[in-house]
Amino acid sequence: DAGITQSPRHKVTETGTPVTLRCHQTENHRYMYWYRQDPGHGLRLIHYSYGVKDTDKGEVSDGYSVSRSKTEDFLLTLESATSSQTSVYFCAIRPGLPKDTQYFGPGTRLTVL
Amino acid sequence: GDSVTQMEGPVTLSEEAFLTINCTYTATGYPSLFWYVQYPGEGLQLLLKATKADDKGSNKGFEATYRKETTSFHLEKGSVQVSDSAVYFCALRAYRNTGFQKLVFGTGTRLLVSP
């Protein structure tokens, strides 16, 4: 158990509304990631963070922003949700050496109507 | 760019059958390779990994060997159980020019095991 929680676990919203998803970790790991999972695409990287206030874009960052004001929290915001952002969102952390791999949270299922 | 290709699913097997899920990759250099498993309603869990050519990763009866000559990392299990029903993702670890580490995933293969 890597101590990762995501909230909410499920959300239904309407097109044009802002949405914020939260990823919380309990072990102060430096690296955190946001992915989306869609059929036929596997997981694709949205944004990542390598420290407090240090973030960068992934492959599919358009329409998303992130913030990390504390080590333990990494927020993903959809400023104006669209139906194409209906997906399952996963947060991941990477402890660094020697456990230099990624561990995933339980996911948030977001539906944009 | 870096990419991972997995066989299309679903793979449907009877309990105790032999499993192979094919995975091939394209990458510069010598990436580390991973298999993740996702059970229904859950996040991804690391199943096994291999960090260099000819390494064999193994866990819970699953095995995969890093084959540089064929750029493959096929997942195998000698006798599957109903509880192995899940989606399996092959992934490689790649690096950007900045040194940032990222995972590149295949599209996933669903395994269905019937009693």
Side-chain angles (χ1 to χ4, degrees):
Chain A
D1 183 2
I4 309 168
T5 57
Q6 292 185 232
S7 59
R9 293 294 312 279
H10 301 271
K11 186 170 181 67
V12 179
T13 191
E14 294 188 350
T15 297
T17 59
V19 177
T20 295
L21 309 182
R22 180 182 183 235
C23 177
H24 179 79
Q25 59 149 329
T26 59
E27 299 184 13
N28 292 322
H29 297 305
R30 179 180 177 189
Y31 300 97
M32 299 184 75
Y33 304 76
W34 276 108
Y35 293 87
R36 59 178 290 175
Q37 182 182 22
D38 303 290
H41 290 279
L43 275 77
R44 293 179 292 175
L45 182 64
I46 305 172
H47 279 281
Y48 63 94
S49 170
Y50 45 96
V52 173
K53 298 185 179 177
D54 291 324
T55 65
D56 205 347
K57 297 178 180 180
E59 306 161 277
V60 290
S61 60
D62 287 349
Y64 302 94
S65 62
V66 290
S67 65
R68 193 167 177 203
S69 57
K70 298 185 290 184
T71 301
E72 59 265 37
D73 289 325
F74 192 30
L75 304 181
L76 177 70
T77 297
L78 291 66
E79 301 291 347
S80 178
T82 68
S83 58
S84 64
Q85 294 175 310
T86 292
S87 186
V88 181
Y89 292 86
F90 287 100
C91 174
I93 59 95
R94 179 163 70 90
L97 295 172
K99 288 188 176 181
D100 198 21
T101 189
Q102 292 184 27
Y103 297 88
F104 287 79
T108 293
R109 182 173 294 277
L110 176 67
T111 302
V112 183
L113 301 176
Chain B
D2 302 316
S3 66
V4 174
T5 302
Q6 287 182 239
M7 60 189 292
E8 291 277 340
V11 173
T12 304
L13 295 172
S14 298
E15 204 164 26
E16 299 184 1
F18 185 86
L19 168 71
T20 299
I21 299 178
N22 290 337
C23 171
T24 57
Y25 67 90
T26 301
T28 54
Y30 304 100
S32 295
L33 301 172
F34 304 82
W35 277 100
Y36 281 83
V37 58
Q38 183 180 32
Y39 298 103
E42 299 183 9
L44 278 71
Q45 301 174 25
L46 179 64
L47 181 59
L48 55 85
K49 68 178 183 180
T51 58
K52 61 184 187 295
D54 300 324
D55 266 3
K56 178 185 284 188
S58 62
N59 186 24
K60 300 181 181 180
F62 291 89
E63 294 182 339
T65 301
Y66 188 160
R67 301 287 189 198
K68 186 165 72 76
E69 63 276 13
T70 55
T71 62
S72 64
F73 193 54
H74 304 322
L75 182 68
E76 297 182 335
K77 187 175 186 183
S79 176
V80 294
Q81 305 299 312
V82 172
S83 57
D84 293 327
S85 297
V87 180
Y88 293 81
F89 291 91
C90 185
L92 65 82
R93 183 164 63 202
Y95 292 87
R96 287 185 166 179
N97 292 338
T98 58
F100 166 69
Q101 179 202 104
K102 66 172 185 175
L103 288 177
V104 176
F105 287 88
T107 54
T109 302
R110 182 175 299 277
L111 171 64
L112 300 171
V113 181
S114 56

